[in-house]
């Protein structure tokens, strides 16, 4: 058996790299097929079209991100550190997945706004799922850490999280993750009960 990934995985890998390095709108399925080393008809056979391909890329990415965050939470030694583990997860996730322009979900949201006609959009549904995952999990972790106002702590950490992702897009010269983590510690400490 060859060491090459299966066709479906090669297509997903190529799509992820091209969509989030060059942009979703400007990347055609013909480019994805060529990069994956498959015929365009093979891409359509597996995914049916660009929207389904994008949805599958995002679903795979959400699963990988969740696994990294779970692992970072599991490694943390205290409820406070479990709350701050989101920043370690960003580092391990980026190290494992390789460079992309920035967060795939923010990139998708910026290129593909919510449908205004009320129709279901499976791609946008995944963007919303990622947003809910991050926001709700931060609230739960802030509650577990004993923060006085878990909603406020989670909102502020979410701003820091999004700031890290935006800084990565802009090519920040300093390490945005380390700075965000330091600021997050101050936020958490300011909302912790006095011992």
């Amino acid at each position: 058996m060859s060491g090459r990934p299966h066709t479906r995985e090669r297509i997903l890998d190529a799509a992820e790299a091209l969509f989030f390095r060059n942009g979703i709108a400007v990347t055609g399925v013909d480019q994805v097929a060529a990069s994956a080393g498959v015929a365009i008809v093979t891409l359509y056979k597996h995914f049916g079209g660009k929207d389904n391909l994008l949805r599958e890329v995002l679903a795979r990415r959400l699963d990988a991100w969740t696994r990294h965050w779970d692992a970072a939470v599991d490694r943390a030694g205290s409820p406070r550190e479990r709350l701050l583990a989101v920043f370690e997860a960003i580092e391990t996730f980026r190290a494992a997945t390789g460079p992309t322009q920035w967060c795939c979900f923010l990139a998708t949201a910026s290129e593909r706004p919510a449908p205004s006609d009320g129709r279901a959009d499976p791609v946008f549904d995944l963007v919303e799922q990622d947003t809910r995952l991050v926001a709700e999990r931060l609230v739960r972790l802030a509650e577990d850490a004993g923060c006085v106002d878990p909603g406020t702590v989670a909102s502020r950490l979410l701003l820091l999280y999004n700031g890290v992702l935006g800084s990565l897009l802009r090519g920040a010269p300093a390490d945005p993750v380390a700075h965000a983590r330091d600021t997050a510690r101050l936020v958490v400490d300011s909302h912790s009960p006095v011992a």
Side-chain angles (χ1 to χ4, degrees):
M1 182 171 177
S2 162
R4 285 179 59 138
H6 290 90
T7 302
R8 183 176 179 81
E9 290 302 309
R10 284 198 332 267
I11 295 169
L12 287 170
D13 290 343
E16 185 172 333
L18 292 170
F19 286 163
F20 303 117
R21 185 180 59 231
N22 301 337
I24 299 164
V26 300
T27 300
V29 291
D30 56 333
Q31 294 169 292
V32 174
S35 180
V38 301
I40 196 157
V41 72
T42 302
L43 183 147
Y44 279 106
K45 178 182 157 196
H46 282 274
F47 298 99
K50 188 174 181 178
D51 278 357
N52 286 336
L53 177 59
L54 176 58
R55 184 180 53 77
E56 290 294 320
V57 166
L58 289 173
R60 185 175 79 156
R61 192 85 172 184
L62 181 59
D63 180 61
W65 162 244
T66 302
R67 283 185 277 115
H68 276 269
W69 197 359
D70 288 346
V73 167
D74 289 345
R75 284 190 298 273
S78 70
R80 177 183 180 265
E81 291 305 311
R82 283 192 285 280
L83 176 56
L84 298 171
V86 66
F87 299 105
E88 178 192 337
I90 293 171
E91 291 174 323
T92 63
F93 182 74
R94 287 185 60 78
T97 59
T100 57
Q101 191 178 27
W102 65 326
C103 171
C104 297
F105 293 94
L106 291 176
T108 302
S110 72
E111 287 195 46
R112 191 182 176 116
S116 59
D117 59 7
R119 286 187 299 158
D121 180 345
V123 170
F124 193 78
D125 289 348
L126 278 166
V127 172
E128 288 183 322
Q129 184 181 346
D130 174 66
T131 301
R132 277 191 313 275
L133 167 78
V134 175
E136 291 171 2
R137 190 168 197 188
L138 287 173
V139 169
R140 282 194 313 274
L141 290 169
E143 289 168 350
D144 293 347
C147 294
V148 175
D149 185 352
T152 297
V153 170
S155 293
R156 290 179 180 170
L157 294 187
L158 184 58
L159 284 172
L160 291 168
Y161 170 84
N162 285 328
V164 166
L165 301 175
S167 293
L168 293 169
L169 171 65
R170 295 174 65 94
D175 180 3
V177 178
H179 292 298
R181 185 185 294 114
D182 290 344
T183 304
R185 284 189 178 106
L186 296 172
V187 168
V188 172
D189 290 347
S190 72
H191 287 82
S192 296
V194 177

